[in-house]
Amino acid sequence: MFKEYRFLSFCICLLLILTGCGQNYSAITIFRYDISAAIKSLDPQFAVNADAQMIISNCFQGLLKYSSKGEIIPAAAESYSLSDDGLKYVFKLKSGLRWSDGSQLTAHDFLWALRRLFSSSSSPFAQDFSSIKGAKQILAGKLSIDSLSVSAPDDLTLLIELDAPNSFFLSQLTTTAAMPCRESYFTGQKGRYGLAGGTLLFNGPFTVKNWSSSSVSLRKNEYYTGQVAAAGVDLHIGRGNAAGLFAKGDSDFCLLPYENIGDRQVDASNRFYNQVWSLVFNQRLPVYANERVRASLSSVLETSILKENLPPALKPYQGIVPETSALMGFNYRELAGTPSAPTSPADLRGAFYTALSKLGQEKLPKSTLYVPDTVIGRKIGGPISTSLATAAFRFCEYCSASDKRTGKHCCFGSI
């Protein structure tokens, strides 16, 4: 039996779209986008809602960020270094950075933000940063927040010391929880910071102009020095079906499964679709737990069936991990190299029968193929099943022509 796996996700990286990604949106100055629910908090150190974090990522800039190639690169930081023992980071900030009120952004703002993670009402992200020296003791109530090993010797230098090397620490600094916060402004909000419009300062591409239960309006931050591709975006809340609104021209982007696009005239270059297809054997069955059996069947599967049935806007890629994926801040594909085809036994038929013989089996059990319940999945399920059955008959030396056609009495079970 083949086990069903569904890998179906659709992603619009709004940050990349709005801060410049090579697209020409000159005809649009204010984008329209629908989100599912009202935003309750935009406090970077505490907001856990995905839509809220998307807004924060567009309105704040951390020390580091991910590039479109999946690499960690400087953002508010100009450069950074790490000691030989992997414990001490030194970040040098870019000069001239400002908050949305025109005031200077300093290393102290990042220092205060990291301390906030471990305040009396600790952040839900505190554990993610517990590798900072002193963090665990602060969370346990054994040290004060001032004991956190983060310091700012001057306005453009931030020092962070860990209690043990952490390969993921730079990645954690790209998250919304590590965005800066100015202490004097935070204190002045008297507990309202990030809970309503007018209670935040921003250092990223956009500021929050209006914020209500029905919409959040972002507008270009005049003090941001990086490239921004649009004047702003209006995020609408609770307007109904996002796909329907997009189809009517009432929004400029939406999360839309490929099969729901139908015959609509949508430019394929502006469509984002990620799907991973894998042939997965149920290894709880001894026969499929055998590597030789799996390799033999996988090697004769006609993978061209997948390519032939892909819609025009999609292209196949050999490998499970996408080209843009990162590992500990480095591009995964550069670390792993170009994926190669699976290794196949030189004598597929011989390897198959030898494996079955060692298992005391004469044929495979009756097998069921599961595919995702999508247009593409339903379209290629039949051809894949046929391909596997054809492969099974190709191996068989005992069956007559009619048996091979019907599958009866074959040394393979029916697929």
Side-chain angles (χ1 to χ4, degrees):
M1 176 182 292
F2 297 112
K3 187 176 181 180
E4 179 181 20
Y5 274 73
R6 294 178 179 175
F7 301 92
L8 194 59
S9 62
F10 306 89
C11 173
I12 293 178
C13 186
L14 192 59
L15 178 62
L16 291 178
I17 290 174
L18 296 181
T19 57
C21 60
Q23 299 286 358
N24 181 12
Y25 294 113
S26 57
I28 303 176
T29 57
I30 305 297
F31 288 98
R32 299 162 300 169
Y33 184 73
D34 282 84
I35 57 179
S36 57
I39 301 299
K40 303 298 183 181
S41 171
L42 289 176
D43 183 337
Q45 279 71 54
F46 285 83
V48 296
N49 175 270
D51 288 329
Q53 290 180 334
M54 178 267 291
I55 295 172
I56 292 169
S57 295
N58 281 280
C59 294
F60 287 84
Q61 185 179 69
L63 293 166
L64 306 170
K65 66 180 181 180
Y66 273 101
S67 72
S68 59
K69 295 181 179 180
E71 302 167 331
I72 293 179
I73 60 175
E78 184 174 67
S79 63
Y80 65 89
S81 61
L82 176 62
S83 61
D84 293 339
D85 60 6
L87 299 178
K88 298 178 181 178
Y89 288 88
V90 179
F91 294 89
K92 291 292 185 179
L93 270 64
K94 296 174 182 176
S95 60
L97 297 179
R98 297 191 177 278
W99 287 102
S100 52
D101 65 352
S103 60
Q104 183 182 3
L105 176 76
T106 73
H108 300 277
D109 300 323
F110 287 97
L111 164 63
W112 173 247
L114 291 174
R115 284 184 175 178
R116 284 196 66 220
L117 294 171
F118 306 96
S119 61
S120 56
S121 54
S122 60
S123 163
F125 307 105
Q127 287 294 336
D128 296 339
F129 294 83
S130 61
S131 60
I132 300 176
K133 189 174 181 180
K136 294 183 180 66
Q137 293 86 341
I138 295 171
L139 289 173
K142 297 178 180 179
L143 292 176
S144 68
I145 195 172
D146 295 335
S147 302
L148 190 69
S149 291
V150 181
S151 60
D154 58 60
D155 286 347
L156 298 179
T157 305
L158 183 72
L159 308 179
I160 303 176
E161 183 176 1
L162 308 185
D163 58 15
N166 182 355
S167 300
F168 297 99
F169 186 67
L170 292 180
S171 178
Q172 289 161 349
L173 289 178
T174 68
T175 64
T176 56
M179 299 299 177
C181 177
R182 196 171 81 187
E183 182 178 3
S184 59
Y185 184 88
F186 171 82
T187 304
Q189 297 309 308
K190 300 179 179 179
R192 298 180 63 250
Y193 181 78
L195 299 179
T199 64
L200 286 162
L201 285 182
F202 309 99
N203 74 312
F206 297 92
T207 65
V208 175
K209 181 179 180 181
N210 295 306
W211 177 7
S212 69
S213 59
S214 60
S215 67
V216 179
S217 297
L218 310 184
R219 294 297 181 266
K220 185 177 179 180
N221 181 1
E222 62 178 306
Y223 292 101
Y224 180 73
T225 57
Q227 182 182 4
V228 182
V233 57
D234 288 335
L235 301 166
H236 298 283
I237 303 167
R239 292 201 303 172
N241 182 273
L245 292 166
F246 175 73
K248 292 190 297 182
D250 293 334
S251 67
D252 300 302
F253 299 98
C254 74
L255 297 179
L256 185 64
Y258 184 91
E259 61 267 22
N260 289 351
I261 293 178
D263 296 327
R264 301 187 187 113
Q265 298 300 310
V266 181
D267 183 2
S269 64
N270 295 333
R271 187 182 303 154
F272 298 84
Y273 185 96
N274 296 314
Q275 186 178 67
V276 177
W277 285 79
S278 299
L279 180 61
V280 182
F281 294 92
N282 184 352
Q283 296 185 42
R284 288 178 296 179
L285 298 176
V287 68
Y288 287 133
N290 186 282
E291 183 179 355
R292 291 273 180 162
V293 172
R294 299 197 309 272
S296 298
L297 290 177
S298 299
S299 297
V300 295
L301 175 65
E302 297 292 340
T303 55
S304 59
I305 295 172
L306 299 176
K307 299 178 183 179
E308 293 168 358
N309 287 279
L310 283 178
L314 305 182
K315 68 175 183 178
Y317 181 71
Q318 176 67 38
I320 293 178
V321 181
E323 294 173 309
T324 56
S325 295
L327 178 65
M328 294 183 290
F330 298 95
N331 181 271
Y332 179 87
R333 186 49 54 209
E334 293 179 3
L335 291 174
T338 303
S340 58
T343 302
S344 301
D347 179 7
L348 294 177
R349 185 176 175 282
F352 178 80
Y353 278 114
T354 298
L356 280 186
S357 177
K358 289 182 177 180
L359 293 169
Q361 301 281 344
E362 294 184 355
K363 63 179 181 180
L364 290 177
K366 182 178 180 180
S367 302
T368 302
L369 175 69
Y370 288 91
V371 295
D373 187 18
T374 64
V375 170
I376 300 174
R378 293 188 293 271
K379 187 175 182 180
I380 67 176
I384 291 177
S385 179
T386 300
S387 175
L388 289 172
T390 301
F393 298 148
R394 187 184 306 169
F395 285 139
C396 184
E397 64 180 341
Y398 301 110
C399 301
S400 65
S402 60
D403 289 336
K404 290 183 180 181
R405 185 173 58 255
T406 63
K408 295 179 180 179
H409 308 298
C410 180
C411 53
F412 284 78
S414 60
I415 297 180

